Amino acid sequence: MGRRKKIVQECETLMDDPEHIRNIAIAAHVDHGKTTLTDNLLAGAGMISDDTAGEQLAMDTEEDEQERGITIDAANVSMTHEYEDQNHLINLIDTPGHVDFGGDVTRAMRAVDGALVVVDAVEGAMPQTETVLRQALREGVKPTLFINKVDRLISELQEGPEEMQERLLAVIQDVNELIRGMTEEMDDIEDWTVSVEEGTVGFGSALYKWGVSMPSMQRTGMDFGEIMELERNDKRQELHERTPLSDVVLDMVCEHFPNPVDAQPMRVPRIWRGDAESELAEDMRLVNEDGEVVLMVTDIGVDPHAGEIAAGRVFSGTLEKGQELYVSGTAGKNRIQSVGIYMGGEREEVDRVPAGNIAAVTGLKDAIAGSTVSSAEMTPFESIEHISEPVITKSVEAQNMDDLPKLIETLQQVAKEDPTIQVEINEDTGEHLISGQGELHLEVIGQRIERNQGIPINTGEPIVVYREAPQQESREVEGISPNRHNRFYISVHPLDDDIVETIKMGEASMDMPELERREALQEAGMDKEDSQNIEHIHGTNILLDETKGIQHLNETMELVIEGLEEALDDGPLASEPVQGSLLRLHDARLHEDAIHRGPAQVIPAVREAVHNALLDAQIKLLEPIQEVRIDVPNDHMGAASGEIQGRRGRVDDMYQEGDLMVVEGVAPVDEMIGFSSDIRSATEGRASWNTENAGFQVLADNLQPDKISEIRERKGMKQELNPAIDYF
């Protein structure tokens, strides 16, 4: 009997025993050694051969990942580990650390109960470490810390034991400060800070496969001094054999991460907004494998043989082949063709997967990343909220017209696999737009289309996505329908940042109970009466219906909303999306004959009212900005800060960290295009840098007119602006 088959059998036995299951994610800053660590764990659990771990990068399954040496998709693996004479099943989701792929991280966090945060001993906690921690804590996921690349501290920096301990304690303190700051407001989380004494911190070297923690020192009898000696004398193989990394990390996972039975009662209320008293809620809290099936899809992959595979966490019930299940947001049911679990990176088909596990299912043709799949109709898990909105767009066209249908199909597939990508398909021009989180994000998508689908494509220059937002309160403005028989009276004013944030985080939306939505918005500072008049939320814009008893308005409301959405998707300045506006419908005059108040009348009237109100509110263009952090040797510091300032950016801070200077600042995304090659040449390739999307800010007045006309020209709109735009 093959080793693999034996492992599959062990997993099948453990699947039914949720107390010994751990669903975890490994999350870290780019290049802090996460994927190498995962390979170590697989080798330790006997899933890949010991010698190649570290070089094999079993998790980087796509060719482009192995080439770039960074992880792009979240990959799933499962393994077994014996801890205190008891076998445990560990389901692990490896997440990308690169800022452009933040969407995958949020999604992985919803499926797991614990996050192993990896930090590089030399670099310390970085911006992305903070983002990843925040995503984990927001989803109610408990953190532990692994400090990697300690071998570099020993061999490169030649530090003695005292300095080393100080350096490591500083890293732990930084991480704890982040955890404390983020969990202050959370009532359901006790103290989740990490500590060496408690065993929630591990140290080691993923590259050389050794690790150490307080419990492991007690078990192996090795202390830090001894480890340093072996590392200095290049006795790394002996080090690996005496204190293997995989044991240290997997023991920590079994000991300190909650199992589904402990985790779900606390996490379900955090991530699911349905009726807490219902039987379904009880099933999920108790991880009841005989309850209704609830599967939350975290990711969609494509297998050349099996087609689309939906992977996700089973919160209750048991998945079996042939079940007919609902998929949130779509009508009808999908039939499950096969169910499986992950072994290493491969899918093994099994007969059934019970609650508490990570499953891989085929046949859910309507599911996208983020869908809720269930045997009974239910409130879906919140629309998965991403911390990042797309900020950059590229046009994609097929080089040969014959490939067009295939390209369109591929683009739709891409949007399904990665909801942080938005795809706009224009059948007339054959030029399609994909928007994502950064240059690299789009470059990777483009390469995948060419490589996996064999479609040669031309991509345009990257274009930045702007937004439009009102700056002050407008007067009440009238919109008149083409037949002059319908009139709408609308005013608009800017929404408070706190309210916009609440909507963005999914804490207030139209698909939650009205009372909860009102409370959330009032808490964010919205007026009580306003919160009761909400008719519709579109993006981060809110429509209030302040009319009283107008005949026929009820049946016309759907058209009003359609006109509103159209007007907000294409703002009045340059047809860019409008954000952060509160629109009040004060009054409406409608023709009594339904024929004369159809879509062709209502939609243009509402659109006109909305656009004119926005212009009266002095709407302006907002541009996306990024936080930039550059680490650079002292003698190149001037060049690095010059790169930020020369890009309409501002430098907020400069400080010494180890032997490097750190320059922190913000700059517009528009000016950051091509940054990587410029910073390399300015610093002779000695800088490392990181960018993080930081929302939108108003573009300077003197740049507004040119930018508006540039965008209008690109979109083929007429150049004359509405005469009301005279406030720049």
Side-chain angles (χ1 to χ4, degrees), residues 38 125 172 180 213 228 254 698:
T38 309
I172 297 170
R180 239 179 251 117
S213 64
M228 289 177 69
C254 297
V698 181

Side-chain angles (χ1 to χ4, degrees), residues 545-574:
D545 177 7
E546 300 192 345
T547 58
K548 299 277 186 290
I550 292 179
Q551 229 184 341
H552 312 306
L553 185 57
N554 266 352
E555 67 228 56
T556 315
M557 198 44 112
E558 250 175 64
L559 294 175
V560 172
I561 287 177
E562 206 173 312
L564 174 97
E565 293 197 346
E566 217 175 272
L568 293 172
D569 289 342
D570 304 332
L573 294 176

